[in-house]
Amino acid sequence: MPQPSIAVSFRAVSRHYGAVRAVDEVSFDILDGEFFAMLGPSGSGKTTCLRLIAGFEQPTAGLVAIHGRDMAGVPPYDRDVNTVFQDYALFPHMSVRENVAYGLMIRKVPAAERAKRAEEMLAMVKLADFGARKPSQLSGGQRQRVALARALVNRPSVLLLDEPLGALDLKLREQMQVELKAIQRQVGITFIYVTHDQGEALSMSDRVAVFNQGRIEQIAAPAELYEKPRTEFVAGFVGISNLLQGEAARAATGAARACSIRPEKIHLAPAGAAAPGSAMRVEGEVESLLYLGANTRFDIRLPGGGYLAVVQQNRDAHYAPEQGSKVTLWWDARHLMTFGG
Amino acid sequence: MRSRAAVLDRATPRAGIGLKAGAWFAVLFLNLPILFIVLYGFTTDEQSYSFPPPGLTTRWFGVIMNRGDFWDALWLSVSVAFVATIAALILGTLAAAAMYRFSFFGKESVTLLILLPIALPGIVTGISLRAAFDLADVPFSYWTIVAGHATFCIVVVYNNAIARLRRSSPAMMEASMDLGANSLQTFRHVVLPNLATALLAGGMLAFALSFDEIIVTTFTAGQQTTLPIWMFKELVRPHQRPVTNVAAIIVMAITFVPILLAYYLTRDTQDVAGSGK
Amino acid sequence: MGCGVMTAAAAALTPSPRSFGSRLSTYFYLRPRLLLMLFLLPPLLWLGIVYLGSLFALLAQSFFQVDDFTGQVIYEPTLGNYARLFGAVNLSIIGRTLAMAAIVTVICGIIAFPIAYYMARYATGRTKALFYVAVMLPLWSNYLVRVYSWRLILAKEGVIHWAFNEMGLGWLLDWMLSLPVLQGSSLSTSYVGTCVTFVYIWLPYMILPLQAALERVPRSFIEASSDLGARPRQTFRKVIFPLAIPGVAAGSIFTFSLTLGDYIIPQLIGSSRPFIGQAVYQFQGTAGDIPMAAAFAMAPIVIMAIYLSLAKRFGAFDAL
């Protein structure tokens, strides 16, 4: 089986600002043609990593390589990488067409070819009729597409996207997620996507790196990240999870070791009901419930202290306890997630 | 009930008659006096400022054509303003670029230093420069006037440039470099086109400010007579008074155009406020 | 794999030949501090040497003295000038200037408030643009011309005296001009004339920061206040006015400082009793006593330093 080549590689890369370690000895590889997400809360170092790849920042220590070439001392304009900026950073004094053709103009591509490629790109992002407009005459979603076209027209080997959908409303964001994924498949370029939205990261990416405090907690495919988080932080940041510690953990699992269980993996049954043999089981009382349309969320108080959130789909034939009901909770032991030491 | 009144108020804001009168009073107070300058340029009375003018004439416009000292002063002022503006454009733009792009130790002090020449009264700037030229044995000349003017013009250019820079997306320069343009190309294709109107406006205001200046000039000029100094001397002379008015009309015409142009160039910024003499 | 990266990196390290501009650009891109120095050095050198140097020269000069017989400056430090500064005549000049600056500032505030408030809250579109131009144009038009215009208007034979006489109110003006402090043969030789001209010249400096401060008062504050039962007058007193204070303070810095230092206006319009600016001007010009002029110029600097620290407390610097 041919090994896919490495597009971007970090080796023990650090970026410090005074005493602040924005990126702290991070190492990872991004493969050619991959849709790679860097996920984390703000200040976790994901955007700094993106800027290190783009060349806007230089590492304090370590090595950043793009396609095997050490990038130390290489300015952004000498890197085969383009960026879609968070606020789009379109040039306000240029038309949409001039914006898209900017990179080609700088590279002294002949005018005729420049125009042709810009038009193709605009057609791909469905803005074929908007070339003559100024960026100020476009909506947020349209500007976002122009920014994408402006970056892609240069046929970079890697495209960096810095929270590109952050400023769009929910509907538009979901639509753009689908389109971005389709465009990536069409052009076959490595996409590196920075976001703090775990839903976005899970739905689009081949692999996700979860950042926390300048370090990477875990790199994995979305399903693995969700089902087998390696740390408490990942379990908490990706999806909802119930973290059990101390007495509550002992009551539920028999051991005081910290563990976690996803709300949708827990079954609800009337108090005292039997559970399948292999299941873990605990009694509790419904503290509150939230009706969410497709499903209902129950917050169950456990006798040993602590709470478990349970999410249950609203299908017709199921057990629906009310507030204050005593209930039995059970789950398959393989869904219990335990961390480190 | 009350909140509905507030909503109506939002839809059609109406000012009380007193407020309106006060506002228009200020507008008239600020602009009417200029009309008197024009009126007195046509009076036949050359000894006093009698109102209403005893008669109207255009002969003062002819008189000024033959006043060589006026045209010399005008030419000197234009030339000083031009050179001071060029110096201020270079220094002010550099300062704005540095203050926008970098954060560094002592930045606050640098801001203060740039603002100081307009924050302190003109007479302080004037007498300081005179004291310094005196101590350093620099003879007063054309260039000492230019040096004084450039000092207080820097802040005008700086204010306009930095306001424009702050309004533009900080990622714009990064975007340009990301798309393959080096710093020089970025400056030419992105920074300069975005800054151009602000610099033009700043330059015009600097020109008007310099063209107009008398306080600092009095202290830094030797035998040179700039236009404001010429006018000041004319004002204390008792005869041919309307000539000064005609000179004033010409001066206003020369400064009016750049000021109006500067206003339209930066209309959306409103950053010229608070930068003055 | 790490090994592979290293060898590939080594191979790529040989730089490809690039244009001079590109290499220069890269050189500075990797040395941002050097670029900062390059940008900042010329303006700093200019302002630091020409301006700050001058201020220090002024301070130094104020400690020297002029020999009464030769008229030459003796370069020996002495406090003699400052002793003279605190003499009765000079103190009365400083007192007179301070009083004028304070009165001018208050009147500017009173005239500026309605127009600033109207511009901030009511004027829209074309009216607003018109008001802006009406405030900005005088600010930037020729200062001397504008002072001169008041000489025309305030003269004995000028429009104001004429209008009062036409209305049969000439006695009122004459009575006012016979009052002890305000006395003069006409408005243009009275303190009243000086004051009106100062107000006229510096008014835009008060309007603009005040307008900006009022514009920042969110409309919802005013609505909330009236919603909570406040009458318009109460809303103004309790909500709008306190929020406008930083703007007033900012504007007053200009009106106060500019009045302190001006010598053209009191020279052209007003009584013959001098202000600080005229004293400085006469010491350096007629008397040729630059050291004494320098010591006198310290007065507005010290007064402004005190004033600025007071204004800062009222939030003036946030409204600039």
Side-chain angles (χ1 to χ4, degrees), chain C residues 183-194:
Chain C
Q183 59 196 327
S185 60
S186 72
L187 282 172
S188 65
T189 56
S190 154
Y191 280 145
V192 179
T194 322

Side-chain angles (χ1 to χ4, degrees), chain B residues 182-263:
Chain B
N182 64 38
S183 309
L184 298 173
Q185 290 166 318
T186 299
F187 182 79
R188 186 176 137 215
H189 294 297
V190 175
V191 180
L192 205 56
N194 272 296
L195 215 52
T197 52
L199 288 183
L200 195 59
M204 290 191 169
L205 291 177
F207 185 93
L209 201 58
S210 161
F211 190 71
D212 203 22
E213 218 291 329
I214 179 158
I215 294 187
V216 176
T217 318
T218 318
F219 289 96
T220 52
Q223 297 308 307
Q224 288 78 14
T225 305
T226 63
L227 196 55
I229 292 182
W230 179 88
M231 281 179 63
F232 190 61
K233 285 180 181 159
E234 282 298 302
L235 280 181
V236 275
R237 285 192 359 186
H239 61 91
Q240 284 206 336
R241 282 188 158 152
V243 170
T244 322
N245 287 74
V246 173
I249 294 170
I250 294 173
V251 169
M252 278 195 292
I254 291 176
T255 43
F256 195 81
V257 174
I259 290 160
L260 212 58
L261 218 57
Y263 172 75

Side-chain angles (χ1 to χ4, degrees), chain A residues 180-203:
Chain A
L180 267 180
K181 186 76 198 165
I183 287 172
Q184 196 250 348
R185 249 181 248 120
Q186 190 183 335
V187 295
I189 293 172
T190 310
F191 274 34
I192 303 177
Y193 191 99
V194 162
T195 180
H196 64 265
D197 182 324
Q198 43 110 1
E200 226 167 77
L202 294 185
S203 67

Side-chain angles (χ1 to χ4, degrees), chain A residues 12-227:
Chain A
V13 172
S14 295
R15 179 71 175 99
H16 301 171
Y17 301 97
V20 180
R21 297 174 170 213
V23 175
D24 194 10
E25 284 198 50
V26 161
S27 299
F28 61 89
D29 292 314
I30 298 170
L31 304 180
D32 234 353
E34 198 173 23
F35 197 121
F36 188 87
M38 303 206 272
L39 174 69
S42 63
S44 60
K46 57 191 193 307
T47 298
T48 308
C49 279
L50 193 85
R51 294 173 60 81
L52 284 165
I53 302 170
F56 303 134
E57 307 270 353
Q58 299 287 331
T60 313
L63 172 105
V64 176
I66 299 176
H67 287 293
R69 186 178 159 211
D70 180 4
M71 285 290 127
V74 180
Y77 44 85
D78 286 336
R79 297 186 183 205
D80 188 17
V81 165
N82 285 119
T83 307
V84 177
F85 289 83
Q86 190 170 9
D87 64 355
Y88 317 139
L90 300 180
F91 306 126
H93 58 290
M94 296 182 193
S95 68
V96 165
R97 192 177 292 116
E98 287 166 336
N99 261 285
V100 174
Y102 184 81
L104 304 175
M105 185 263 288
I106 293 292
R107 287 196 177 79
K108 303 198 165 65
V109 173
E113 194 197 334
R114 210 192 295 167
K116 186 171 144 273
R117 279 171 65 179
E119 289 306 330
E120 279 171 14
M121 246 338 124
L122 282 173
M124 190 177 84
V125 297
K126 298 174 187 152
L127 285 175
D129 300 332
F130 291 80
R133 293 211 193 171
K134 283 277 164 72
S136 57
Q137 297 167 305
L138 300 182
S139 71
Q142 290 167 334
R143 283 180 211 182
Q144 209 276 322
R145 290 157 193 264
V146 176
L148 187 65
R150 186 178 70 173
L152 282 174
V153 79
N154 308 296
R155 296 172 190 158
S157 65
V158 176
L159 184 76
L160 308 174
L161 302 104
D162 185 8
E163 309 224 10
L165 308 182
L168 306 182
D169 63 47
L170 186 65
K171 266 254 152 60
L172 206 52
R173 205 153 65 212
E174 283 170 353
Q175 185 195 335
M176 279 308 293
Q177 285 177 25
V178 177
E179 279 187 36
L180 267 180
K181 186 76 198 165
I183 287 172
Q184 196 250 348
R185 249 181 248 120
Q186 190 183 335
V187 295
I189 293 172
T190 310
F191 274 34
I192 303 177
Y193 191 99
V194 162
T195 180
H196 64 265
D197 182 324
Q198 43 110 1
E200 226 167 77
L202 294 185
S203 67
M204 286 193 284
S205 320
D206 298 320
R207 284 195 305 155
V208 180
V210 181
F211 281 75
N212 182 31
Q213 296 182 342
R215 291 172 166 275
I216 292 181
E217 298 264 337
Q218 186 173 4
I219 301 180
E224 188 188 340
L225 205 62
Y226 188 80
E227 301 288 347

Side-chain angles (χ1 to χ4, degrees), chain B residues 25 29 47 66 81 112 134 176 209 244 273:
Chain B
F25 167 75
F29 178 62
Q47 304 293 334
N66 301 316
L112 186 68
D134 193 64
S176 168
L209 201 58
T244 322

